[in-house]
Amino acid sequence: MSDDPYKVLGVAKDATEAEIKKAYRKLAKSLHPDLNPGDKAKAAEFQAVSAAYDIIGDADKRKRFDAGEIDASGQERPQRQYYREYADTDPQGRYASGAGYGDFDDLSDVFSDLFGARAQARTGRAQGFAARGTDVRYHLEVDFMDAVRGAKRAVPLPDGSAIDLTIPAGVRDGQTLRLRGKGQPGFGDGPAGDAYVSITVRPHKVFTRDGNDIEIEVPITFDEAVLGAKIEVPTLTGKVAMSVPKGASSGQRLRLKGRGVKPAKGAAGDQYVRLKIVTPTKPNADMEAIARQWRDKVDEDPRAKLWRDV
């Protein structure tokens, strides 16, 4: 697989942030170790895709990569690192006369110090040498109710190990959770990088979410709509009694205050119940007789407003 993060994700150099995110999520879903257990090739591809998104999925890193300041692994390019070290030195110490080699009494000291420092740098033992480890990215799908209530999950890694992850209550689809120090180890005394876990929330069969609000469609009978009724409706925390007003219509929304998503921080949202009048699929003779009486006695056109708006 290419080292170019744009090629790894299959996007153009001028791709938008949304296009990059879409490409990453599509690849991450197809390559995720949960869906390809034991497939080391796909596990390696998944890691490469995550590493690529870590670079060009981050605006600052993408800018630095495009400018040639960092490579595809996020590490500073040698020439840039040298320039920074050079730029940070005392201006008067940047240039020194070679006559007599300054304070060195013996030419052998120069080579001893030079090659000794290089050897130490390669092993990360040079005094003051430290580099932060690379950040890594993972993807995790969670159930709707786990996202709402919070849960503990393990993020599987390609090498067979796992990272324990606490999913906070109210986590949103597409949200990224940060695990400090769970990325690649640092160099020398440098700290480890971080792990970023992108969350995808599976849709629920009944509940839909808008921010911290929840909406649900509840069927009611014809008589409940006309006469009003007390019915039970499901919520995120169990059954709740709700009053259907007299003369209710399909599509009417009723609010259950505070019955929405309760995030880890902040107030809970509301639940909206959208009514749907359902008639029997096979009405009997009595019901048909009542309907005919209704038609003869009720002089209200339910489509009057529609025609006025048209």
Side-chain angles (χ1 to χ4, degrees):
M1 184 172 281
S2 171
D3 289 334
D4 185 336
Y6 290 100
K7 292 182 179 179
V8 172
L9 295 181
V11 296
K13 296 279 186 180
D14 58 354
T16 63
E17 290 184 17
E19 289 171 337
I20 291 173
K21 184 175 182 180
K22 181 179 180 181
Y24 163 69
R25 294 184 69 176
K26 181 179 179 181
L27 289 169
K29 284 184 178 181
S30 64
L31 298 172
H32 197 278
D34 281 354
L35 302 177
N36 305 280
D39 191 329
K40 293 184 178 180
K42 279 192 168 54
E45 287 186 63
F46 177 76
Q47 282 287 66
V49 166
S50 298
Y53 185 64
D54 180 54
I55 298 297
I56 62 174
D58 181 292
D60 292 334
K61 288 184 180 179
R62 182 183 182 185
K63 184 177 180 181
R64 295 191 64 201
F65 176 79
D66 290 344
E69 295 181 8
I70 59 174
D71 59 21
S73 66
Q75 298 299 313
E76 192 102 11
R77 292 189 183 277
Q79 63 271 29
R80 296 280 179 174
Q81 188 172 6
Y82 169 80
Y83 173 77
R84 284 193 175 185
E85 292 173 355
Y86 164 77
D88 291 340
T89 58
D90 182 354
Q92 302 211 350
R94 293 179 189 165
Y95 305 99
S97 170
Y101 293 95
D103 295 332
F104 293 103
D105 295 328
D106 193 317
L107 186 61
S108 62
D109 291 338
V110 178
F111 292 100
S112 174
D113 291 345
L114 176 63
F115 290 109
R118 285 183 178 174
Q120 288 178 330
R122 280 196 301 270
T123 59
R125 293 194 300 268
Q127 186 176 1
F129 177 81
R132 183 177 180 277
T134 304
D135 294 336
V136 294
R137 289 185 177 271
Y138 302 104
H139 175 260
L140 182 67
E141 284 194 2
V142 299
D143 289 333
F144 183 91
M145 297 306 293
D146 285 340
V148 167
R149 298 170 179 168
K152 291 186 180 294
R153 291 289 179 268
V155 181
L157 305 184
D159 61 3
S161 61
I163 298 177
D164 292 328
L165 174 68
T166 297
I167 301 171
V171 69
R172 300 181 304 278
D173 182 61
Q175 187 173 343
T176 298
L177 304 180
R178 179 185 182 187
L179 297 174
R180 292 180 180 273
K182 295 298 184 179
Q184 296 295 331
F187 298 90
D189 296 327
D194 298 331
Y196 292 88
V197 182
S198 176
I199 301 295
T200 294
V201 180
R202 300 186 188 100
H204 196 274
K205 292 181 178 179
V206 172
F207 299 109
T208 57
R209 181 176 176 181
D210 181 10
N212 288 331
D213 292 336
I214 290 292
E215 183 162 325
I216 180 175
E217 183 178 80
V218 175
I220 59 173
T221 61
F222 175 77
D223 60 291
E224 288 173 335
V226 173
L227 304 175
K230 200 86 168 177
I231 64 173
E232 286 188 332
V233 299
T235 70
L236 298 176
T237 55
K239 296 179 181 179
V240 169
M242 186 190 75
S243 295
V244 176
K246 288 183 178 181
S249 300
S250 280
Q252 185 173 346
R253 294 170 84 231
L254 304 177
R255 185 176 73 149
L256 296 173
K257 188 176 181 180
R259 291 289 180 173
V261 178
K262 177 67 174 72
K265 294 182 181 179
D270 300 326
Q271 176 167 315
Y272 290 90
V273 178
R274 189 173 68 258
L275 302 178
K276 180 182 180 181
I277 300 174
V278 177
T279 58
T281 55
K282 295 181 179 180
N284 57 32
D286 291 338
M287 293 186 66
E288 290 178 356
I290 293 173
R292 290 191 186 96
Q293 292 177 15
W294 176 281
R295 180 179 293 176
D296 293 339
K297 294 180 179 180
V298 176
D299 191 28
E300 183 178 338
D301 184 359
R303 291 174 290 280
K305 185 178 183 301
L306 170 67
W307 288 113
R308 284 198 304 271
D309 291 343
V310 170

